Amino acid sequence: MSEYDLIVVGGGISGLSFARRGALQGWRTLLLEADQRFGGCLATQRYTGAAEGYWTELAAHTAYNSYGALLELLDANQLGRLQPRHKLPWRVWDGARLQSVFARLHWPSLLPALPRLLFTPKQGLDLRAYYGRVMGRRTYDSLLRHAFSAVLAQPADAFPADLLFRKKPRRQDVPRSYTLNGGLLGLAEMLAATPGHEAKAGVAVECIQREGEAFRVHAGAASWRCRHLALAVPAWEAARLLEGEYPELARYLQQIAPAEVESLAVVVARDSIGLPELAGAIGIDQDFYSVVSRDVVPDARLRGFTFHFRPGRLDRAGKLARIAAFLGAPPEAIVASAERCNRLPALKAGHLAWVSAVDRLLSGERLALIGNYFYGVSIGDCAERAKAEFERLKQRTVSATTSPSPSGRGQG
Ligand SMILES: Cc1cc2nc3c(=O)[nH]c(=O)nc-3n(C[C@H](O)[C@H](O)[C@H](O)COP(=O)(O)OP(=O)(O)OC[C@H]3O[C@@H](n4cnc5c(N)ncnc54)[C@H](O)[C@@H]3O)c2cc1C
């Protein structure tokens, strides 16, 4: 049978958590993912060969106990699998030396600016305008703009200030920051294994059609029909899928530009480098935004580092040379490596007005749009958007007393 209450397109954390909600609601749910594996930006590389049993993260690396909309989807067993990350410092790297982040604070301008934290609203301001004001321009330019670019894996000046560090309640029964044994991909694996929903990998959805109140989703020769549709793909992909049936929504989605980051992870023998243990390093005017270390989940034999490079600057040899300089070891010390090109939305100040406009267009529709281009880019932001959109669809179903049930035939 190829008729569903809900089809979710895209099997990253947004789509996985939405599909889990559908299954828990008792909806007949189908999740379609283009890649051969679920997870999207939960992209743990698990090694074989010389680094057998070791893993590094090629995108997201840390989750927090403030990710409530995600954590509420995990049962007690799954919560028990969350592994606290060791507390280690972040450093800055200027191409020659590692320094403490405090070394780059400009105290004479920082101290007088700090009281402005109390009465400067973030709304409508970008990171440069807001933090330049409340932390002082010198500290912003010498440290914060690099730190924010490291956090966001893209140039950060124009990013909306009100979407970073939103205050959220923290769960006290969960480690403050955590990963899983085997990396964050484990989160995707737990959610993909939800009983009650069907999940198909290797299915790239090509087009979407409306059929009365329902939808038909096409991939190659196959098609499926559903009462509710959730697009959990990047904004530019959602724009393409909606161009024919929802041109106005598509025009909004086209406004979100992608920011690319070229991520390269390397594994070295623990005794082959003398680098002190660290959580990661912020690149100061470097070819990479950041280096994220695996030291937070230590291993007796190996150490791993993922470098998030600015796009289009260096070939692989050039990247390995930068990595060797950072590690203080020749490229031959690398026993394993892995690469991935990631794309994140480049959001701009005033983005919440864009979200409101899109939500107005969605209201009354059986279509949900979810992803990292609504409330922020973190895993927690994605799960929060998925929850809000699921509640909207559920509410619509409950209140639509005359809601038609799916009809017509499909081919699976
Ligand atoms: C380098 C980097 C570091 C990060 N670090 C962190 C961190 O430490 N902590 C944190 O909270 N967040 C972090 N993030 C952000 C976070 O990982 C992502 O924003 C989030 O995982 C995005 O999830 P998503 O499901 O919305 O999108 P994605 O993960 O992009 O998933 C979208 C999925 O849709 C699929 N898809 C696309 N088109 C189609 C189609 N036509 N048919 C079917 N499937 C399709 C894709 O294959 C993909 O699997 C990081 C991101 C990056 C890139």
Side-chain angles (χ1 to χ4, degrees):
M1 191 163 76
S2 52
E3 292 201 20
Y4 293 87
D5 295 311
L6 169 66
I7 292 181
V8 182
V9 181
I13 194 64
S14 300
L16 285 162
S17 52
F18 201 91
R20 174 114 173 180
R21 287 183 187 279
L24 290 173
Q25 184 65 23
W27 286 2
R28 186 153 189 268
T29 298
L30 173 66
L31 174 65
L32 300 173
E33 164 56 46
D35 207 344
Q36 293 303 331
R37 60 149 191 93
F38 295 96
C41 292
L42 303 184
T44 311
Q45 175 70 33
R46 294 170 182 159
Y47 296 94
T48 51
E52 176 83 38
Y54 194 74
W55 54 267
T56 53
E57 299 291 7
L58 284 172
H61 46 89
T62 312
Y64 297 93
N65 63 355
S66 55
Y67 293 177
L70 168 73
L71 292 167
E72 70 190 21
L73 296 176
L74 305 181
D75 63 27
N77 260 344
Q78 293 170 328
L79 287 172
R81 288 183 52 195
L82 305 182
Q83 185 171 337
R85 290 161 44 96
H86 283 207
K87 226 174 150 43
L88 286 171
W90 274 85
R91 305 268 187 224
V92 294
W93 170 253
D94 63 6
R97 62 205 165 128
L98 270 180
Q99 277 182 303
S100 151
V101 290
F102 296 105
R104 297 195 69 90
L105 294 175
H106 186 257
W107 295 103
S109 58
L110 173 62
L111 292 175
L114 271 179
R116 291 190 207 130
L117 262 178
L118 297 176
F119 55 84
T120 308
K122 283 181 172 176
Q123 287 74 26
L125 295 183
D126 60 31
L127 290 174
R128 181 172 164 77
Y130 177 75
Y131 285 98
R133 206 168 291 171
V134 302
M135 302 291 272
R137 182 66 58 212
R138 296 276 294 269
T139 292
Y140 183 83
D141 286 338
S142 68
L143 175 65
L144 295 179
R145 68 194 302 252
H146 308 287
F148 293 147
S149 297
V151 168
L152 294 164
Q154 60 180 282
D157 283 353
F159 198 85
D162 43 4
L163 288 194
L164 201 64
F165 311 131
R166 284 189 302 122
K167 220 171 162 42
K168 297 166 216 157
R170 293 186 174 277
R171 286 241 327 227
Q172 298 309 319
D173 57 334
V174 170
R176 190 182 170 88
S177 76
Y178 54 85
T179 178
L180 282 95
N181 184 12
L184 280 182
L185 182 59
L187 277 179
E189 289 167 338
M190 292 194 297
L191 292 171
T194 299
H197 78 235
E198 254 178 84
K200 293 182 196 283
V203 178
V205 169
E206 284 152 16
C207 114
I208 277 152
Q209 276 176 305
R210 290 162 95 170
E211 285 187 352
E213 285 260 307
F215 299 92
R216 186 166 289 279
V217 173
H218 298 265
S223 81
W224 303 265
R225 190 178 148 94
C226 57
R227 230 156 38 97
H228 301 98
L229 175 67
L231 296 188
V233 296
W236 39 94
E237 181 65 1
R240 187 186 70 75
L241 291 173
L242 294 179
E243 230 165 12
E245 297 286 6
Y246 290 93
E248 201 178 349
L249 266 176
R251 271 196 294 280
Y252 272 95
L253 291 164
Q254 282 157 4
Q255 294 168 18
I256 308 285
E260 256 179 39
V261 53
E262 297 170 2
S263 303
L264 172 54
V266 297
V267 182
V268 294
R270 176 166 279 281
D271 56 14
S272 68
I273 58 170
L275 196 70
E277 292 221 324
L278 73 177
I282 297 161
I284 305 288
D285 295 324
Q286 296 299 296
D287 291 315
F288 51 82
Y289 299 113
S290 68
V291 186
V292 174
S293 151
R294 235 299 300 264
D295 292 343
V296 293
V297 187
D299 180 86
R301 212 166 39 101
L302 299 169
R303 293 179 70 188
F305 303 89
T306 306
F307 292 74
H308 296 294
F309 282 96
R310 294 170 194 271
R313 284 203 182 178
L314 296 173
D315 61 11
R316 188 178 160 83
K319 288 174 186 168
L320 289 174
R322 297 292 184 281
I323 291 172
F326 178 84
L327 297 179
E332 300 76 63
I334 296 169
V335 299
S337 65
E339 284 178 88
R340 176 183 156 95
C341 184
N342 290 297
R343 290 172 118 197
L344 285 169
L347 305 180
K348 299 273 184 285
H351 184 68
L352 290 175
W354 181 95
V355 174
S356 301
V358 167
D359 282 350
R360 269 195 299 279
L361 292 174
L362 284 171
S363 80
E365 297 289 342
R366 289 165 183 257
L367 170 72
L369 284 180
I370 54 182
N372 54 8
Y373 57 96
F374 286 92
Y375 305 159
V377 298
S378 81
I379 295 166
D381 297 325
C382 294
E384 199 179 320
R385 172 69 184 178
K387 179 177 181 173
E389 278 292 83
F390 189 79
E391 291 300 319
R392 179 177 66 79
L393 290 199
K394 199 173 79 181
Q395 198 51 47
R396 192 193 175 287
T397 307
V398 170
S399 56
T401 46
T402 55
S403 145
S405 54
S407 59
R409 283 173 54 78
Q411 320 115 52

